[in-house]
Amino acid sequence: MAEGFQAPRGTLDWLPQRSAARRAMIERFRQIFEGAGYGEAMTPIFEDKALFARTAGESSEVVGKEMYLFEDQGGREMALRPEFTASIVRLYLENGLSRDPQPVRLWSAGNCYRFAAVQRGRYREFTQVNAEAIGSDDPAIDAELIALQLRWFESLGLDGLEVRLNTIGDRADREPYLDQLRAYIDAHSSEVDDEVRRQRDLNPLRAFDTKDPASAAIMADAPKITDAVSDEAAAHFAAVRSFLDARGVNYTLDPTLVRGLDYYSRTTWEISWPALGAQSGIGGGGRYDGLAELIGGAPTPGVGFACGIERVLLALEDQDRSPAPERQMDVFFAIFCDAARPRLHALMDQARARGVAAEADLAGRAVKGQMKQADRIGAALTVVCGDDEWARSVCVVRSMASGEQTEVSLDELVEHLHNAKMGTA
RNA sequence: GUGGGCGUAGCUCAGCUGGUGGUAGCUCCGGGUUGUGGUCUCGGCGGUCGUGGGUUCGAGUCCCACCGCUCACCCCA
């Protein structure tokens, strides 16, 4: 290890067991969203830096200091994607999807990259599953996305989720409100801490996030954006809530909930699993009706969310649950005769070609060790072939559950294994 | 980027105020069962004590730096 390499800080190695869990989670996500009419979209892992800079906002941490940037050999400024939404909207515009029936609904899964301080649940390379609906401002979509997202969590066996919901109005509502909020902070300037004063200039909405109790008390009485939104946005939010209420979705209203990316408008939400501690946010999203214009497209409404696979998996592991299916093998080949190995390996391959999951000893194990291996991998059957059987061109097929053994001619072995598999399946 | 805790076999960990690394548990491999698993039992493999310096006659144990993990700030998935 001293002279060796370690995975880069903030990255994870995925061994088979967790890889299976991860894949099962994504597969579940796929089933749920494709069952609701969402199609899979994949975008490049890197994009023009400006795509993210313009959409997420220069004042956001993500753009300000967390992007992985590089200049390619052609001198282009590129960034590894810190999130999906900007890429998906870019995809929508670039591929003319505004000509498709609206809204265009897409889901994605893949790695994102942010150069942030590493801790449990926060990694520099991490995986998000993502869903976006672009081209309609129907409040039913906001509610549908939240409901589907919750269905995913529940299908994985995660209990005790908290859903927080808010509306931050339209961009046009924002400036007058921000002036109001800045004025309030200025009026209480001497009573709040540096953090609030810093946010006042940077992103006043975030001033509500202060941890300082005195400042928090002051901010508790500050004007809330929820009260400052237009009648139209308020009506939209009321409609979102009615769609959620009709489904029986539990949520709490949090008028200080502001998502960290500047492009959000109207509905915002966050789902957390509190036991995870500081990185308890396992999913979040919102509406971004102004985003398409920011990157040169026609005004196009949109709404979407993302969930962090690693965090959800940590939560599941904390509950001693794994979404990974049991590993199973149909047949193990236990061969105690060197001369027999080539022929039996060939037969094993033929069985595999017919859909039988099979493996053989590859470690030179003794008899006992090979049987133990068969047991360990959960093989339903073990093909046993030693000198005696090989001399007679047969083998013994043992049922690992019952211990029952039958002798089978090597010529009929593949057919026998195939039938056994079909019979039990 | 800033603080606190931690870093001994593949994994989980003992190791008292510095005096030669633990028959430790689990895993893995083998024997007990001349060719048959899950239990039991015996044995074996496996460590430059995170890395590099320093103090000391002597450092896993003390000091410093770095790397990594972890908790929190922050940020967000």
Side-chain angles (χ1 to χ4, degrees):
Chain A
M1 198 65 105
E3 303 290 321
F5 291 102
Q6 291 177 292
R9 183 162 165 74
T11 64
L12 255 23
D13 285 327
W14 291 81
L15 273 37
Q17 196 173 337
R18 282 188 113 218
S19 293
R22 178 180 190 275
R23 198 179 40 184
M25 292 166 74
I26 293 171
E27 173 58 18
R28 200 78 59 89
F29 192 87
R30 184 192 72 73
Q31 285 169 359
I32 288 171
F33 280 85
E34 294 195 347
Y38 290 68
E40 183 175 11
M42 290 191 274
T43 61
I45 232 162
F46 57 90
E47 299 261 10
D48 193 314
K49 174 194 171 186
L51 174 66
F52 301 117
R54 245 193 270 167
T55 55
E58 298 287 356
S59 73
S60 71
E61 293 277 322
V62 170
V63 166
K65 45 189 190 189
E66 294 186 356
M67 279 208 291
Y68 273 91
L69 302 172
F70 66 97
E71 185 182 302
D72 73 10
Q73 283 81 342
R76 288 172 277 259
E77 281 293 328
M78 310 304 289
L80 297 183
R81 65 179 173 211
E83 54 120 14
F84 274 96
T85 303
S87 292
I88 296 294
V89 174
R90 194 224 80 222
L91 169 151
Y92 173 95
L93 296 172
E94 182 172 345
N95 291 279
L97 298 187
S98 61
R99 298 301 194 105
D100 282 4
Q102 305 295 299
V104 171
R105 288 116 86 215
L106 301 167
W107 72 272
S108 306
N111 289 346
C112 295
Y113 300 83
R114 292 182 199 173
F115 192 85
V118 176
Q119 65 182 74
R120 178 175 146 97
R122 183 168 61 197
Y123 307 100
R124 290 178 177 173
E125 178 182 69
F126 59 101
T127 311
Q128 283 192 344
V129 287
N130 183 266
E132 312 281 351
I134 306 173
S136 166
D137 63 0
D138 189 332
I141 306 173
D142 308 42
E144 168 178 285
L145 282 166
I146 295 170
L148 292 171
Q149 186 180 14
L150 287 171
R151 168 115 53 84
W152 181 60
F153 288 131
E154 282 157 16
S155 78
L156 296 171
L158 207 52
D159 329 302
L161 295 167
E162 271 180 24
V163 182
R164 287 180 303 137
L165 183 68
N166 191 27
T167 180
I168 58 172
D170 292 305
R171 291 183 82 79
D173 302 335
R174 208 79 54 84
E175 271 317 312
Y177 168 72
L178 291 181
D179 289 340
Q180 209 183 331
L181 183 57
R182 285 192 202 97
Y184 178 86
I185 294 172
D186 291 344
H188 297 81
S189 186
S190 59
E191 303 160 70
V192 298
D193 67 359
D194 290 345
E195 179 58 22
V196 171
R197 283 192 289 270
R198 194 178 67 89
Q199 293 291 10
R200 178 239 179 257
D201 299 324
L202 208 55
N203 188 348
L205 290 171
R206 299 223 72 111
F208 287 106
D209 299 339
T210 179
K211 293 291 190 297
D212 174 54
S215 304
I218 299 296
M219 292 308 296
D221 293 328
K224 302 294 185 299
I225 184 136
T226 316
D227 302 321
V229 305
S230 66
D231 292 346
E232 203 186 340
H236 187 272
F237 189 55
V240 172
R241 293 184 59 189
S242 71
F243 279 101
L244 288 172
D245 294 341
R247 286 175 164 88
V249 171
N250 277 319
Y251 57 88
T252 58
L253 293 176
D254 180 354
T256 69
L257 172 65
V258 178
R259 314 231 67 248
L261 287 341
D262 286 0
Y263 53 63
Y264 284 111
S265 60
R266 297 198 174 184
T267 321
T268 61
W269 71 90
E270 220 165 86
I271 298 176
S272 57
W273 198 72
L276 275 184
Q279 308 306 324
S280 63
I282 56 175
R287 184 162 275 287
Y288 45 83
D289 293 343
L291 200 161
E293 285 173 274
L294 289 177
I295 58 175
T300 312
V303 56
F305 72 86
C307 297
I309 287 280
E310 290 81 2
R311 288 183 187 179
V312 176
L313 189 51
L314 285 172
L316 290 170
E317 287 167 350
D318 281 359
Q319 289 195 342
D320 289 320
R321 283 175 194 274
S322 170
E326 291 274 308
R327 185 184 170 193
Q328 56 182 20
M329 187 56 55
D330 297 319
V331 185
F332 183 80
F333 280 68
I335 308 165
F336 322 122
C337 169
D338 285 343
R341 292 185 78 209
R343 169 106 195 262
L344 281 155
H345 277 247
L347 292 174
M348 175 171 70
D349 248 9
Q350 290 174 29
R352 287 168 172 167
R354 299 198 54 188
V356 177
E359 60 178 287
D361 176 61
L362 300 168
R365 288 188 186 84
V367 175
K368 183 175 177 175
Q370 293 200 39
M371 294 310 293
K372 185 170 185 169
Q373 178 66 4
D375 182 57
R376 191 159 38 203
I377 66 173
L381 300 175
T382 298
V383 168
V384 180
C385 185
D387 294 327
D388 177 48
E389 290 84 359
W390 177 242
R392 295 161 41 228
S393 289
V394 298
C395 63
V396 169
V397 177
R398 175 184 178 87
S399 159
M400 295 303 280
S402 68
E404 190 182 324
Q405 305 199 154
T406 53
E407 197 169 278
V408 177
S409 148
L410 291 184
D411 291 334
E412 293 162 9
L413 180 61
V414 172
E415 191 63 28
H416 180 91
L417 295 177
H418 177 254
N419 291 342
K421 159 126 183 162
M422 294 304 115
T424 53

